Amino acid sequence: MTLHADPKSPIYNYKVAAYNVSKSAVNAYTVQLAWELRDSTIKVNAVHPGHVKTDMGGAAAPMEIVDGAKSSVAMALIGGDGPNGSYTHMGKTLPW
Ligand SMILES: NC(=O)c1ccc[n+]([C@@H]2O[C@H](COP(=O)([O-])OP(=O)(O)OC[C@H]3O[C@@H](n4cnc5c(N)ncnc54)[C@H](OP(=O)(O)O)[C@@H]3O)[C@@H](O)[C@H]2O)c1
């Protein structure tokens, strides 16, 4: 949302409404569910894989598939003191 509203953002012109709105819904649900489960051992986080050479990402994407998996694997391995309700890519927090 933050980057799509910023004309200086590199993704500003990638307006694919159904895809982008569904991703915003997933992000919003991440925040809501993380709060609901805040007193449990379950962590709820959203991960951006990067622009990856998959069927969807296309051959021109800069990241290899093995690197595109890294953020998801890292977040799958967080411990009890890990983040809850975050949005990350390669260890960095992203704006919603
Ligand atoms: N690639 C990128 O640069 C990039 C960037 C940001 C976020 N993402 C996100 O990462 C996730 C994976 O994307 P990807 O790049 O790996 O895409 P992908 O290579 O196109 O793979 C999409 C996968 O989703 C499955 N799928 C599609 N529609 C389905 C349905 N109705 N029911 C069940 N499975 C379905 C496909 O199954 P079949 O093979 O059987 O059709 C395929 O395994 C997506 O949520 C995407 O939005 C990707």
Side-chain angles (χ1 to χ4, degrees):
M1 291 288 291
T2 305
L3 295 175
H4 266 294
D6 179 0
K8 293 187 210 123
S9 160
I11 65 167
Y12 181 72
N13 289 317
Y14 289 93
K15 292 291 188 285
V16 185
Y19 180 87
N20 293 342
V21 170
S22 74
K23 292 302 187 189
S24 295
V26 169
N27 288 354
Y29 189 47
T30 297
V31 173
Q32 301 300 311
L33 195 57
W35 185 86
E36 293 282 344
L37 297 173
R38 67 194 181 286
D39 295 327
S40 77
T41 57
I42 298 170
K43 309 288 185 195
V44 185
N45 295 286
V47 175
H48 172 51
H51 188 193
V52 185
K53 284 186 181 70
T54 60
D55 287 347
M56 192 200 87
M63 289 178 69
E64 300 299 327
I65 288 177
V66 67
D67 294 317
K70 285 181 178 170
S71 295
S72 295
V73 172
M75 290 304 285
L77 296 175
I78 61 172
D81 59 348
N84 189 37
S86 75
Y87 179 34
T88 66
H89 171 64
M90 294 292 197
K92 289 188 182 157
T93 300
L94 301 177
W96 291 112

